Amino acid sequence: MKTNIPELRKKRKLSQEELAQAVGVTRQTITSIEVGKYVASLPLAYKIARFFEMPIEEVFDFSDIDKEE
Amino acid sequence: MEDFKKKLRIRIGLLLMLNGLMLFAGILFRMLVPANENALNGNFVSGVFVGIQAVCISLIIITAGKLRSEAELNKAYIVENDERKKAVRLSAARTSQIIILSVLALAFLIASCFNKTVALTLLCVQLFVDAVSIISLLCHSKLM
């Protein structure tokens, strides 16, 4: 799944480590989510979206799921 | 976080218990088995007891260190509850299970051509692993 996390992080000048600490996961998890190797769970996706003060759809790209339907 | 602190304290308690048990087992073993009788095996078993105790003590020190500092505690909480790590562990467990069962089945087939006892033992192990998997699957599907 594609995400806008790298762009959002860069905009706020945040490192992966800082974001990871803020949402309670390891830096490796954030890296995996950013490169699309791992799909975040709903609670984690919610935490990340809440951290950026944005709706989930603006942080995560759900177009693949829409296409499947 | 309080729950995690409690969990760590319980872990320290269990490690202390295991440490005490190993000490007791080591002393009992030394008392029951004379030193000159089968010395190599005796020393090996004593070494295992001492090794387990050393691991326990180092784990107690590490866990106690986490409890002392709030930053360390937070770090440990994140590492232990990281969802990707949990997913990796689950995936690795699934793969391991498939490999173990496949190797056991293959070993059973090969052994059945040469030795009946070995083949039956392997079959029993396979059936036991299967039974444990099915039971845990049923338990977990009831829980979720």
Side-chain angles (χ1 to χ4, degrees), chain B residues 33-97:
Chain B
V33 180
N36 55 353
E37 199 175 290
N38 208 351
L40 188 66
N41 284 349
N43 289 340
F44 175 76
V45 176
S46 300
V48 170
F49 287 139
V50 172
I52 293 171
Q53 276 177 281
V55 171
C56 281
I57 290 166
S58 56
L59 284 175
I60 289 167
I61 292 166
I62 291 167
T63 317
K66 283 175 192 168
L67 275 171
R68 252 182 244 133
S69 142
E70 202 63 38
E72 284 291 314
L73 188 73
N74 202 34
K75 222 186 219 176
Y77 180 80
I78 288 173
V79 169
E80 284 204 20
N81 293 287
D82 183 51
E83 63 171 55
R84 185 182 141 272
K85 281 198 176 173
K86 282 182 186 170
V88 168
R89 264 184 243 135
L90 202 69
S91 177
R94 259 188 234 135
T95 315
S96 312
Q97 193 187 13

Side-chain angles (χ1 to χ4, degrees), chain A residues 19-57:
Chain A
L19 174 63
Q21 272 184 2
V23 295
V25 291
T26 57
R27 188 190 55 77
Q28 289 93 326
T29 303
I30 297 295
T31 310
S32 294
I33 293 169
E34 283 187 1
V35 296
K37 272 190 189 173
Y38 176 72
V39 179
S41 68
L42 184 60
L44 179 58
Y46 173 71
K47 275 185 195 173
I48 294 170
R50 201 177 56 177
F51 177 79
F52 288 118
E53 293 166 334
M54 285 175 136
I56 286 182
E57 308 93 274

